[in-house]
Amino acid sequence: MPQVHKYDVIIVGAGGAGMRAALESSKRVRTAVLTKLYPTRSHTGAAQGGMCAALANVEEDNWEWHTFDTIKGGDYLVDQDAAEIMAKEAIDAVLDLEKMGLPFSRTPEGRIDQRRFGGHTRNHGEAAVRRACYAADRTGHMILQTLYQQCIKRSVEFYNEFYVLDLLMNGGEVAGVVAYELSTGELHVFQAKSVVFATGGFGRVFKTTSNALSLTGDGMGVVWRRGLPLEDMEFYQFHPTGLAGLGILLTEGARGEGGILRNNEGERFMERYAPTIKDLAPRDMVSRAIYTEVRQGRGCGPNQEYVVLDLTHIPAEQLEAKLPDITEFSRTYLGIDPTTEPVPVYPTAHYAMGGIPTDIDARALRDNQEVVRGLYAAGEAACVSVHGANRLGTNSLLDINVFGRRAGLAAADYAATAHFVDLPDNPEGDVRMLVDRLLNGTGGERTGAIRAELQQSMDDHASVYRTDTTLKQAEVDLAELKRRYHDVTVQDKGKRYNTDVLEAVELGFLLDLAEVLVVSARARNESRGGHFREDYPQRDDVNFMRHTMAYRELDSEGNEAIRLDYKPVTVTRYQPMERKY
Amino acid sequence: MTETLDTPLDHAPEAGAGLQRRTVTLRIRRFNPEAGDTEPSWHDYPVEVLPTDRILDALNKIKWEQDGTLTYRRSCAHGICGSDAMRINGRNRLACKTLIKDLNMDAAITVEAIKGLPLEKDLIVDMEPFFQAYRDINPFLITESHEPTRERLQSQHDRDRFDDTTKCILCAACTTACPVFWTDGQYFGPAAIVGAHRFIFDSRDEGASQRLDILNDREGVWRCRTTFNCTEACPRGIQITQAIQEVKRALISRRV
């Protein structure tokens, strides 16, 4: 029998969104945070460049400009009411963090300093604006540490190294979750009135990625398997400047500080693609530009397979003060000193714009309108949608703070008056079956081999450039890999710290989510933001200015199928225009 | 400066040198009480790598291709999350920040769990005592005065005062390199003192005296013997011994 715990609110994930939610919820109702890592290991800590808010500390700015930039950056797939809330609440979100103790970099006057970032402009696109609040190039690290420190102050309860593998529902309402305890292999049932998924993204469907090994989309996968929809999964962001060959992130803040992208002719090629803001164009445009340069033979290196990020004209003291970590990454992993030599870079899979659909209070949706009582999502796992077809840099650290807070408030409010929903019979049964099947499998397939083939196929067929043909190939590959996944055999049969079986479980989520991404992408016959179809290179507002809603369905024989539906975009004051920078 | 000791600044990228695959041997100290082990034991794993691969890449290759039972923690794989501190060739380092070419590739590379915390399985230790020591020093901003509507002001000079200790990722490489911690598990250890330093020297914080009282305890800063193991082990290049000295001086003068 599993251990059964009872809380008003369960938060799954202890990154920025989860801990920000916990700070609100734990003040009001009995709350626990479940994380498969330790809180300070979450990938929020890897974010570098900053968090935008129109503080206007160093030059004129206002939240309306920030709203507009977010909507235009998202190629008009952003829900405009949500973007407005985010840009407005950004200011308090930054000030709240400062009051919690976050060590922001400062102006000479002692205020929070701000710098330029991609797609953030003054007065609707006139020029780049200094809007990103930052702490050197460790802004995410400081946010994660500060939120954890506040959780310690408030005695927030954590269950570390607990993997949530199922969402319990009864009569369409949330009843709790099932978690696998890493150290013992025991299953735990957490009965809860509200459950918040803040489990991050699923970058590990790709081979070249800035994402941690742990970013396997478990939360989205759990929700998906319970028949709930996922929104806009075809929109996946490739960050232009990963360390070539490794995918390790080099912040856009490097270009905000004056860094320049160059091809093998030494040309500042972004001048051709975005004449006004050049290297500070949004990420989707810069990533496509880099791909194009390399395809047309202007790549650098012996195999002409990357471009370079030139920081050599920036004084060494400025690099050391403003960008110390990326300077070190370049030295450590490539042996290249950015103060004297340009750094090889290439796009790297970075961020899921899509995810669990929510309203502006982080309440998860079961269709285009109706909420799932007791279910919430925030951060990269969620799709509000404030990022639309392409997220602007820094808006993810903002998203986790604004909507993490809203999720915590809404989940606690609901739990304060709601009753516990009865647990279903044999609540841990499905997870027990899943884990036992993997432990007892005899088919001989290896997790690592299937995962490597998945990642290669996704890089080849579903990344920056896509066509119907490549996506169809990805579908074929995925079907075969899913078939082989049934024959996975793990070698570790034990209960104690069995990371072997958990990697196999995670691979199952990756395969599911990759398929949703590919099927959603194949149906979107247009190019918008991070989704670029070479066979349909134009944006098509008549047919596709709408969100994709994907549903998992089972036919009468129990075979899985993906059904696609669509949801209108919320437009308040900005009509779609051509997206030029 | 955030350089680790073994990554010289001046090694020029040798064209093509990173592309030569070769076999190295990882000698891993393994332990699984569930399988009846009473003592850890060393096992050799030959693995084909690129010299520019990280130790973490080699461990992953072994786990994914040879032996799925090999157990270790990892997440971000580039030195930010602090999951994979381990003892590599007898020195505490992050597996994801240690390139194989920077070690002697002709001899077996030893890999074992960090010392001084209870060994659970293979390279995994119980981290709870480590995090408890961190929580014990009240690692959060303490203020009593009126909260401003906008941000608190802080000069660049005041911000720089504690910059070094904000870099800590709580990987435990320092604490588990400390000989005092090995023999006395009650000692707070360097990481917790670094955590305290980060707030004691933050001009916005008003909790210095309570933190100094905690660190004045017999298991506090005075146990430090200034052996510099912690500073050498820190993958973030934090001048830990210096930070501990600054805390000691603050205790004597009661001024920060």
Side-chain angles (χ1 to χ4, degrees):
Chain A
M1 282 302 290
Q3 291 187 50
V4 179
H5 313 259
K6 214 166 166 175
Y7 287 90
D8 293 313
V9 174
I10 287 292
I11 294 165
V12 187
M19 290 201 285
R20 191 66 190 79
L23 289 177
E24 299 303 328
S25 170
S26 64
K27 272 193 269 191
R28 294 166 175 85
V29 294
R30 196 155 175 264
T31 301
V33 183
L34 277 53
T35 166
K36 70 175 182 177
L37 306 169
Y38 279 79
T40 57
R41 312 298 187 219
S42 304
H43 210 56
T44 295
Q48 296 167 357
M51 170 169 164
C52 271
L55 296 184
N57 274 4
V58 292
E59 62 181 311
E60 185 188 3
D61 197 9
N62 66 62
W63 61 258
E64 192 272 324
W65 295 351
H66 187 181
T67 307
F68 172 78
D69 289 339
T70 300
I71 291 163
K72 182 181 173 188
D75 220 349
Y76 296 91
L77 198 70
V78 172
D79 286 320
Q80 300 187 3
D81 54 338
E84 184 168 320
I85 284 170
M86 185 170 78
K88 253 191 223 174
E89 294 186 5
I91 295 164
D92 276 340
V94 166
L95 296 177
D96 284 349
L97 286 169
E98 196 284 328
K99 286 166 192 171
M100 290 178 197
L102 195 139
F104 283 106
S105 294
R106 299 286 172 158
T107 66
E109 299 77 34
R111 310 204 78 91
I112 295 169
D113 199 11
Q114 300 188 272
R115 66 178 164 206
R116 298 187 180 108
F117 236 84
H120 290 278
T121 69
R122 54 170 283 110
N123 197 19
H124 314 97
E126 272 179 19
V129 72
R130 292 183 173 86
R131 185 180 289 150
C133 310
Y134 66 98
D137 55 356
R138 307 184 179 115
T139 316
H141 165 76
M142 299 303 188
I143 289 176
L144 190 68
Q145 296 289 327
T146 301
L147 292 175
Y148 179 57
Q149 290 157 358
Q150 290 296 305
C151 285
I152 293 173
K153 183 178 178 186
R154 306 249 179 90
S155 304
V156 172
E157 240 182 291
F158 287 98
Y159 288 83
N160 297 326
E161 299 188 323
F162 274 62
Y163 287 63
V164 169
L165 300 183
D166 201 2
L167 168 67
L168 297 173
M169 309 268 290
N170 203 345
E173 295 184 37
V174 164
V177 297
V178 181
Y180 177 104
E181 183 181 12
L182 178 65
S183 64
T184 62
E186 299 298 327
L187 299 184
H188 295 249
V189 171
F190 289 83
Q191 192 176 10
K193 296 174 187 172
S194 302
V195 171
V196 182
F197 278 93
T199 45
F202 61 99
R204 284 285 155 179
V205 296
F206 295 100
K207 180 179 168 192
T208 304
T209 176
S210 64
N211 281 204
L213 289 153
S214 49
L215 283 171
T216 51
D218 309 357
M220 292 185 205
V222 160
V223 166
W224 173 251
R225 288 179 186 177
R226 281 286 161 216
L228 296 170
L230 292 174
E231 181 176 350
D232 288 343
M233 293 291 279
E234 65 271 39
F235 294 102
Y236 201 91
Q237 177 167 86
F238 290 78
H239 193 293
T241 57
L243 279 184
L246 289 165
I248 295 172
L249 179 67
L250 293 189
T251 176
E252 196 169 297
R255 282 169 283 140
E257 294 290 347
I260 292 168
L261 291 165
R262 298 190 191 280
N263 60 21
N264 66 2
E265 295 159 9
E267 183 204 12
R268 183 179 196 178
F269 59 85
M270 280 312 298
E271 284 178 334
R272 277 188 276 120
Y273 298 88
T276 307
I277 58 175
K278 305 182 180 76
D279 298 90
L280 287 173
R283 291 173 179 174
D284 58 326
M285 297 176 86
V286 181
S287 284
R288 278 195 296 278
I290 294 174
Y291 260 64
T292 304
E293 291 301 301
V294 168
R295 274 183 172 188
Q296 295 179 353
R298 291 189 295 276
C300 306
N303 302 315
Q304 303 191 324
E305 56 193 3
Y306 51 78
V307 298
V308 292
L309 176 63
D310 186 359
L311 302 168
T312 56
H313 54 290
I314 299 175
E317 314 80 70
Q318 189 182 339
L319 280 185
E320 205 59 65
K322 301 276 182 81
L323 303 165
D325 275 7
I326 63 156
T327 305
E328 190 207 353
F329 293 153
S330 176
R331 287 171 182 158
T332 301
Y333 295 110
L334 293 185
I336 285 179
D337 184 349
T339 60
T340 57
E341 204 180 340
V343 184
V345 293
Y346 200 66
T348 180
H350 188 56
Y351 187 87
M353 271 71 75
I356 302 165
T358 73
D359 67 9
I360 53 171
D361 288 312
R363 299 185 297 178
L365 300 173
R366 72 169 70 252
D367 52 35
N368 286 4
Q369 275 112 27
E370 202 190 337
V371 301
V372 184
R373 286 165 67 85
L375 187 62
Y376 304 81
E380 191 175 345
C383 180
V384 184
S385 156
V386 283
H387 307 308
N390 170 63
R391 174 174 70 73
L392 287 191
T394 77
N395 272 355
S396 57
L397 290 180
L398 180 53
D399 177 5
I400 59 175
N401 278 285
V402 168
F403 290 99
R405 174 176 167 275
R406 284 178 160 256
L409 287 169
D413 275 355
Y414 178 74
T417 55
H419 296 286
F420 283 101
V421 173
D422 288 337
L423 291 171
D425 293 337
N426 189 21
E428 78 289 10
D430 287 354
V431 176
R432 177 88 62 205
M433 219 157 60
L434 170 74
V435 174
D436 284 351
R437 182 174 65 74
L438 292 167
L439 285 175
N440 300 324
T442 53
E445 287 283 355
R446 296 294 299 263
T447 301
I450 295 176
R451 187 176 46 214
E453 288 182 46
L454 161 71
Q455 293 167 338
Q456 190 65 56
S457 177
M458 292 297 283
D459 270 22
D460 291 347
H461 305 305
S463 59
V464 172
Y465 283 121
R466 303 161 173 176
T467 67
D468 186 68
T469 312
T470 65
L471 292 166
K472 191 169 178 203
Q473 183 60 51
E475 275 184 21
V476 171
D477 293 351
L478 280 164
E480 171 64 8
L481 292 170
K482 285 188 105 164
R483 191 193 59 69
R484 284 170 55 192
Y485 179 68
H486 287 288
D487 293 324
V488 159
T489 303
V490 300
Q491 291 173 308
D492 195 335
K493 308 292 186 188
K495 291 176 79 69
R496 190 182 176 85
Y497 291 96
N498 190 339
T499 54
D500 198 21
V501 77
L502 286 165
E503 282 195 28
V505 170
E506 290 171 332
L507 173 60
F509 292 129
L510 288 177
L511 287 165
D512 281 1
L513 297 174
E515 195 175 23
V516 185
L517 187 159
V518 168
V519 169
S520 301
R522 212 179 148 206
R524 186 175 281 274
N525 294 329
E526 67 155 352
S527 291
R528 182 187 296 271
H531 171 70
F532 194 90
R533 286 279 301 266
E534 289 185 277
D535 43 354
Y536 296 93
Q538 302 301 319
R539 194 173 81 194
D540 175 359
D541 289 336
V542 175
N543 294 303
F544 287 105
M545 197 174 135
R546 54 186 192 173
H547 299 290
T548 305
M549 296 284 278
Y551 295 82
R552 175 178 186 264
E553 293 190 330
L554 299 178
D555 65 20
S556 53
E557 286 160 18
N559 296 314
E560 282 180 34
I562 295 174
R563 178 174 66 84
L564 297 182
D565 193 6
Y566 293 90
K567 186 172 80 167
V569 174
T570 306
V571 176
T572 57
R573 61 169 116 172
Y574 303 102
Q575 290 305 313
M577 295 187 305
E578 195 193 348
R579 191 161 162 260
K580 284 199 296 205
Y581 285 93
Chain B
M1 286 291 288
T2 46
E3 282 310 307
T4 54
L5 222 61
D6 286 30
T7 35
L9 295 184
D10 54 356
H11 65 272
E14 304 129 275
L19 303 176
Q20 300 267 308
R21 289 199 168 274
R22 57 164 293 165
T23 299
V24 297
T25 299
L26 260 60
R27 181 166 294 165
I28 305 173
R29 191 163 181 258
R30 300 202 54 184
F31 176 61
N32 185 7
E34 192 182 8
D37 295 351
T38 51
E39 288 294 323
S41 56
W42 294 97
H43 297 261
D44 283 3
Y45 298 87
V47 55
E48 199 183 70
V49 295
L50 292 170
T52 49
D53 280 348
R54 301 156 270 201
I55 288 292
L56 179 61
D57 296 317
L59 290 172
N60 284 338
K61 219 157 177 266
I62 293 167
K63 183 174 182 69
W64 296 341
E65 294 169 14
Q66 299 181 35
D67 186 349
T69 69
L70 178 64
T71 306
Y72 48 94
R73 291 191 177 101
R74 84 288 180 278
S75 187
C76 80
H78 67 284
I80 285 299
C81 79
S83 297
D84 63 351
M86 46 190 81
R87 243 171 113 79
I88 298 164
N89 279 356
R91 259 197 53 192
N92 281 6
R93 319 170 198 238
L94 297 182
C96 62
K97 242 184 136 171
T98 307
L99 303 196
I100 291 167
K101 69 179 175 56
D102 294 329
L103 304 168
N104 179 359
M105 293 188 282
D106 297 325
I109 298 166
T110 63
V111 181
E112 58 193 306
I114 46 178
K115 285 168 70 173
L117 291 166
L119 184 61
E120 296 290 330
K121 181 182 176 183
D122 293 346
L123 304 173
I124 290 187
V125 297
D126 178 6
M127 294 295 290
E128 197 40 42
F130 172 80
F131 279 105
Q132 188 56 51
Y134 177 69
R135 290 192 291 263
D136 284 344
I137 52 90
N138 294 344
F140 40 81
L141 192 74
I142 296 171
T143 56
E144 281 145 21
S145 50
H146 184 65
E147 202 166 75
T149 38
R150 295 280 297 193
E151 71 265 47
R152 289 187 186 80
L153 299 183
Q154 181 169 56
S155 72
Q156 290 176 342
H157 177 265
D158 284 346
R159 169 65 180 78
D160 287 345
R161 186 72 189 79
F162 64 105
D163 185 61
D164 201 33
T165 45
T166 64
K167 295 188 296 197
C168 176
I169 55 173
L170 295 168
C171 69
C174 60
T175 294
T176 60
C178 173
V180 180
F181 182 78
W182 292 338
T183 54
D184 176 4
Q186 297 302 305
Y187 172 47
F188 279 108
I193 302 172
V194 163
H197 179 283
R198 177 251 171 275
F199 287 101
I200 291 169
F201 293 92
D202 184 334
S203 59
R204 301 169 297 172
D205 185 80
E206 297 165 87
S209 68
Q210 52 171 285
R211 284 197 196 87
L212 289 171
D213 284 345
I214 294 167
L215 293 175
N216 201 21
D217 183 85
R218 56 182 294 273
E219 304 294 352
V221 287
W222 304 113
R223 303 297 311 272
C224 171
R225 290 285 170 267
T226 328
T227 51
F228 282 91
N229 282 24
C230 53
T231 305
E232 283 169 25
C234 179
R236 301 285 288 158
I238 301 171
Q239 297 302 309
I240 303 176
T241 312
Q242 184 186 325
I244 296 173
Q245 292 301 99
E246 287 175 1
V247 172
K248 285 180 182 172
R249 276 202 295 277
L251 265 175
I252 292 166
S253 67
R254 280 284 165 172
R255 275 179 41 212
V256 295

